[in-house]
Amino acid sequence: MRVSTGQLQMTLLLGMQNGQNQYNTLMAQMASGSRILKPSDDALGSVRLLNLTRQQSSLSQYQDNIQQVKSSLSEEETQLNSVNQVLLRIRDLTLEAGNGAIGVEERQAINNEMSVLRDSLVDFANTKGEQGNYLFSGSQVDKPAVVKDATGHYVYQGDTLIREVNVSKGVTVKVNDTAQGLFFSGGNFFDQLSDFIDILNTATGDVNPDMQTALDQIDGVLASVTRTLTDIGGRQNMLDQLDSAHGDMLLYSKKLSTDISSLDYAKASIEANQVLLQLQSTQQAYLKLNNLSLFGQN
Amino acid sequence: MSILNIGLSGLTASQIALSVTAQNTANVNVDGYSRQEAQLASRYSNSFGPLDAGMGVGVTGLRRVADDYLTAQLWRVTSQQSYHEGFNQYIGQAEQLVSSDSLNISLGMDAFFASLDAASEQPQSIAPRQQVVSSAGALARRFNQLASSLQLQGTQLTGQIDASLSQINTYTRQIADLNAKIADLTARSGNTSQLEDQRDNAIKNLSKLTEVQVSRQADSTVTVSLGQGQPLVLGSVAAKMSRIDSDLSVDLAGQKFPISGNVGGTLGGLLDYRDDVLKPAQQTLDQIATQLADDFNTQLAAGTDINDPRGTGKPLFTYDPSNPAGSLAITAGYQPEDLAFGSAAAGVGDNSNLLALLAQKDGNYDAYTSLVGSLAIRSAQAQSELDASAQLVTEVQAKRDGVSGVNLEEENANMLKYLQSYQANAKVISTADQLFTTLLQMF
């Protein structure tokens, strides 16, 4: 085939341009550490990366949620443990008060302590979280759960709403428990306790039947507190499991992202050397060609 | 005397051939130059006597070495390459835009939904609500910036389309003018080589802009038309291509021919990108923005805010329906308390409506992910087509240059050849002179 002079030059020039382009791409890949510089470098991979990023964002958020829920639950747990202690003391005092052998003065002393303990139970029911929200009021977080109304009766101001928080795809966990469930499910415990205290204050005869009633009521509340504590423990276990599952998933997802996007440096640097070699030989061929002309010989 | 004449004819022919070589050598670097050849033929005397050697040599013409088929092929592949260049130039930019960290809608949604999720534990707390409002604002800005970047592409495209049209009209004018000159010169049997090169170059430039069909007429003029048949040049008359909005047409001597479909060349690439990629991408983005805003506002309206007194949820997003993605914004004066995360029946600590908002997460990503995916696939395809067509141009150009291009070595050899024949013919003349002198000395 006949080759024109311009064509020879053009072929070598194109070769050099191609070499430079390839080298440039390899350098950009090596500088960024990513094999995908633009989506079209790997269309499918880019879409998968987008989905993985979204998954990672969700998983991180779930993990954040879990930490938040766990700290709320342990706060509640601490409070309920204290409530448990107070209830046990009230139970002891109730038993002591029912003892026919004790006198009026002793009974009054018991009575005083029980009043203090009742008030502290009300305080526990009205515990505020770090955000100033009432923990046991359901969704009425801006209102104290238990207050005394104008007639001297205790009333629950909250509602029965249990807040759910997403902790995994399609999985929610209950974040709060209400004073309603704890203290009001078997009747109004605070009023019952107050009534018993009044009886202790005023009754002169046998208080044994009243004591039995009070004990039943106390045991009922103790049972619901214990049940709630167990439930919280269960929720925390579930959260721990989910947390570590999310952690594993996140690790796997990030590894997948890296596998899709990351550059094989060894391969890239070998390629870069090859391109460089090709570029150099094309340049030398170009130089030689320029010295090679019949016009130079005659 | 005939020896002298024969020698003279050889001398003249060598001179002409040398000047052709000189012309070829001088034009070695001229793009689109077709080399010329001196065509030599023996001259015989009319007497055809038995001892008549002939009347020397003559240059019958200068041949412009060109292969019309290859030239036409070059124009066609040039059109294809330019089409892909035009298309690629923009789609490459578009795919970078939709996937860039600062404009990527998907990343904006990640942040927005994460902020919503973070608010679910303490729905009454202001700080996480503030975070929701500000990440919604950031998401809206991503939509705005991406929409305006695509809008800008549209403006640049229109500018480039208009520039292409005016260039096309310049080239058709040039071709028509050259047609007239060539027809004139052909009628006078002149050398049209240079004019034909010029015309071929003009056609090549034209075919970069749009795909053309060229047919050579008996009077050496060419008729140029678009791939679909609309005439661009008829003899010495050039058509004018023009645009009204997105409708193109060709106007030849008062007659209008509408253009539709792929016109090829840069113009075709630009038009196809605008209609097949840019506009659908803008529509998709608008749909995503509309759906996100509408779904959110509707769900918010089903809930109750934490203002005092508490009220029905206000819409978080606003947009102008004529330009949804470009105008998406947070409702003016929107306060964190305005977010309706709870229901009317429950207290401020209720997050039931927030959970309903979060449930919308899944539906809102897919359209964008598939936009990025389809742009990437289309762009990868366009790049490989561009590479293939560039390769084809290189090959066809090599073939064309193989026929028409100048090779300096060849010219050098020709130069030596004709130099030698010039010297030899000069020797013939001096021999004729010697013969004459010898004869004279006899007396």
Side-chain angles (χ1 to χ4, degrees):
Chain A
M1 183 179 146
R2 193 178 169 277
V3 177
S4 75
T5 303
Q7 204 181 327
L8 257 177
Q9 304 244 353
M10 192 50 71
T11 307
L12 289 172
L13 259 174
L14 275 178
M16 281 192 276
Q17 270 176 8
N18 278 344
Q20 279 166 350
N21 273 342
Q22 281 179 35
Y23 196 68
N24 189 34
T25 307
L26 281 166
M27 287 303 111
Q29 284 179 332
M30 286 168 95
S32 69
S34 173
R35 138 190 112 69
I36 303 178
L37 296 176
K38 53 187 189 306
S40 54
D41 290 341
D42 181 354
L44 218 63
S46 305
V47 169
R48 285 182 70 200
L49 275 180
L50 266 188
N51 287 333
L52 286 170
T53 311
R54 170 182 157 198
Q55 185 192 35
Q56 285 154 21
S57 160
S58 288
L59 287 171
S60 303
Q61 189 53 51
Y62 288 143
Q63 286 193 312
D64 285 353
N65 281 3
I66 287 173
Q67 288 317 315
Q68 245 191 327
V69 172
K70 278 188 66 169
S71 91
S72 289
L73 287 180
S74 39
E75 194 178 352
E76 189 187 340
E77 199 176 19
T78 315
Q79 300 299 337
L80 288 183
N81 274 325
S82 308
V83 167
N84 209 28
Q85 295 305 315
V86 172
L87 284 170
L88 287 174
R89 178 67 189 148
I90 291 175
R91 194 178 194 282
D92 287 349
L93 290 173
T94 307
L95 279 171
E96 218 173 301
N99 188 346
I102 65 165
V104 176
E105 277 171 25
E106 283 167 303
R107 201 188 273 176
Q108 261 167 0
I110 290 170
N111 191 29
N112 283 343
E113 191 180 345
M114 277 181 79
S115 299
V116 172
L117 289 174
R118 179 204 55 208
D119 290 348
S120 77
L121 272 188
V122 173
D123 282 348
F124 278 124
N126 291 338
T127 310
K128 281 184 173 182
E130 57 190 61
Q131 311 266 352
N133 52 313
Y134 290 97
L135 291 184
F136 297 104
S137 303
S139 75
Q140 312 287 345
V141 291
D142 47 353
K143 293 176 191 152
V146 179
V147 289
K148 221 180 209 173
D149 69 5
T151 60
H153 289 291
Y154 289 94
V155 287
Y156 176 61
Q157 295 202 112
D159 54 26
T160 55
L161 192 121
I162 305 292
R163 199 161 50 251
E164 309 248 359
V165 168
N166 283 325
V167 287
S168 182
K169 195 173 164 61
V171 179
T172 57
V173 69
K174 297 180 174 59
V175 193
N176 63 323
D177 294 281
T178 63
Q180 164 84 32
L182 291 164
F183 299 108
F184 291 84
S185 50
N188 185 337
F189 180 67
F190 296 104
D191 276 358
Q192 290 164 350
L193 201 57
S194 296
D195 289 347
F196 183 59
I197 290 168
D198 283 346
I199 290 169
L200 288 185
N201 232 356
T202 53
T204 47
D206 183 15
V207 292
N208 210 34
D210 298 306
M211 179 202 75
Q212 281 306 332
T213 316
L215 272 183
D216 286 348
Q217 289 160 348
I218 293 165
D219 286 347
V221 175
L222 262 174
S224 80
V225 169
T226 316
R227 206 167 42 241
T228 309
L229 275 170
T230 316
D231 191 44
I232 289 174
R235 281 183 253 169
Q236 278 179 326
N237 277 341
M238 180 187 84
L239 289 175
D240 284 339
Q241 278 168 13
L242 279 176
D243 193 26
S244 89
H246 289 334
D248 291 348
M249 197 59 215
L250 199 58
L251 209 66
Y252 176 68
S253 175
K254 282 187 174 158
K255 187 182 172 302
L256 259 169
S257 292
T258 314
D259 286 350
I260 292 170
S261 67
S262 76
L263 182 72
D264 182 344
Y265 271 99
K267 200 170 144 229
S269 61
I270 290 171
E271 257 178 69
N273 276 333
Q274 279 172 344
V275 171
L276 216 54
L277 202 68
Q278 178 227 324
L279 200 57
Q280 281 166 351
S281 29
T282 317
Q283 279 168 346
Q284 279 172 5
Y286 184 73
L287 286 177
K288 279 191 183 144
L289 179 85
N290 278 344
N291 290 329
L292 193 73
S293 170
L294 270 182
F295 278 101
Q297 318 292 316
N298 50 51
Chain B
M1 286 304 279
S2 75
I3 296 178
L4 191 68
N5 277 337
I6 290 171
L8 191 61
S9 77
L11 205 65
T12 313
S14 303
Q15 226 172 14
I16 292 171
L18 272 173
S19 69
V20 169
T21 305
Q23 173 73 3
N24 285 345
T25 308
N27 282 288
V28 64
N29 289 326
V30 174
D31 193 29
Y33 174 76
S34 302
R35 71 192 165 101
Q36 299 184 54
E37 263 176 8
Q39 287 179 307
L40 304 182
S42 292
R43 284 206 299 222
Y44 295 97
S45 74
N46 291 332
S47 66
F48 295 107
L51 298 177
D52 199 340
M55 293 180 65
V57 68
V59 178
T60 56
L62 298 185
R63 186 170 82 97
R64 173 175 173 266
V65 185
D67 181 333
D68 278 352
Y69 170 73
L70 281 179
T71 313
Q73 204 184 358
L74 184 61
W75 293 334
R76 203 175 58 249
V77 295
T78 304
S79 285
Q80 286 167 5
Q81 185 191 19
S82 303
Y83 171 88
H84 294 305
E85 269 172 359
F87 195 92
N88 250 291
Q89 175 193 353
Y90 284 99
I91 198 170
Q93 196 192 16
E95 63 155 330
Q96 299 268 31
L97 286 176
V98 297
S99 66
S100 76
D101 281 352
S102 57
L103 299 182
N104 191 332
I105 300 294
S106 192
L107 296 183
M109 293 222 235
D110 284 345
F112 177 54
F113 282 108
S115 74
L116 276 173
D117 231 326
S120 60
E121 215 266 334
Q122 299 285 343
Q124 81 289 353
S125 185
I126 295 304
R129 283 172 169 266
Q130 185 64 58
Q131 188 60 39
V132 171
V133 175
S134 64
S135 66
L139 176 59
R141 277 191 297 282
R142 276 177 190 259
F143 272 104
N144 303 157
Q145 281 162 2
L146 187 52
S148 82
S149 302
L150 292 179
Q151 184 68 43
L152 185 66
Q153 265 207 344
T155 314
Q156 287 171 341
L157 265 171
T158 310
Q160 207 181 336
I161 287 168
D162 286 347
S164 302
L165 288 176
S166 94
Q167 273 182 301
I168 286 172
N169 292 333
T170 307
Y171 289 132
T172 50
R173 188 66 257 152
Q174 270 180 22
I175 295 165
D177 288 349
L178 285 163
N179 262 347
K181 284 182 189 162
I182 288 168
D184 181 44
L185 201 54
T186 306
R188 293 189 281 120
S189 309
N191 182 356
T192 57
S193 188
Q194 191 202 341
L195 292 174
E196 284 189 53
D197 280 351
Q198 277 182 20
R199 188 175 62 187
D200 279 1
N201 263 346
I203 297 174
K204 189 181 172 191
N205 287 334
L206 177 63
S207 54
K208 277 181 188 162
L209 295 163
T210 180
E211 191 168 343
V212 290
Q213 282 176 343
V214 180
S215 57
R216 189 180 274 272
Q217 307 298 314
D219 60 354
S220 294
T221 63
V222 292
T223 300
V224 182
S225 55
L226 284 177
Q228 298 165 344
Q230 296 87 343
L232 288 178
V233 180
L234 280 178
S236 58
V237 183
K240 198 168 181 299
M241 211 191 250
S242 59
R243 177 182 75 91
I244 297 171
D245 292 332
S246 48
D247 295 327
L248 297 182
S249 63
V250 170
D251 195 324
L252 183 83
Q255 207 181 343
K256 238 182 159 69
F257 302 87
I259 302 171
S260 62
N262 184 2
V263 295
T266 312
L267 184 62
L270 298 177
L271 292 173
D272 280 3
Y273 172 75
R274 184 191 67 188
D275 297 338
D276 298 348
V277 179
L278 182 62
K279 282 183 179 170
Q282 287 176 315
Q283 279 163 6
T284 306
L285 195 64
D286 281 342
Q287 276 164 10
I288 298 171
T290 312
Q291 194 195 332
L292 181 81
D294 289 351
D295 286 358
F296 250 79
N297 290 345
T298 308
Q299 191 61 52
L300 282 171
T304 303
D305 63 26
I306 58 165
N307 284 313
D308 190 18
R310 299 182 65 199
T312 305
K314 295 188 190 73
L316 172 62
F317 293 107
T318 59
Y319 62 87
D320 171 4
S322 66
N323 176 23
S327 64
L328 187 70
I330 299 298
T331 308
Y334 206 87
Q335 295 301 313
E337 291 84 351
D338 294 337
L339 286 164
F341 288 162
S343 64
V348 295
D350 179 23
N351 68 4
S352 53
N353 205 42
L354 175 55
L355 293 184
L357 288 169
L358 277 170
Q360 296 185 350
K361 192 173 174 177
D362 287 333
N364 276 301
Y365 278 91
D366 298 343
Y368 192 76
T369 313
S370 63
L371 174 67
V372 176
S374 65
L375 271 181
I377 290 168
R378 194 75 199 262
S379 173
Q381 188 193 350
Q383 277 167 48
S384 69
E385 280 169 355
L386 173 61
D387 290 347
S389 63
Q391 184 65 37
L392 206 59
V393 169
T394 311
E395 280 168 24
V396 176
Q397 182 78 53
K399 275 189 194 161
R400 181 261 166 208
D401 287 353
V403 174
S404 303
V406 176
N407 180 312
L408 285 179
E409 266 65 59
E410 186 182 53
E411 298 305 329
N412 194 282
N414 281 340
M415 210 164 76
L416 290 178
K417 188 169 80 179
Y418 291 119
L419 185 62
Q420 283 168 3
S421 80
Y422 184 89
Q423 286 165 343
N425 280 296
K427 192 75 186 167
V428 169
I429 290 172
S430 84
T431 305
D433 181 47
Q434 276 175 14
L435 287 178
F436 188 63
T437 311
T438 310
L439 197 65
L440 273 185
Q441 279 169 354
M442 288 172 69
F443 301 101

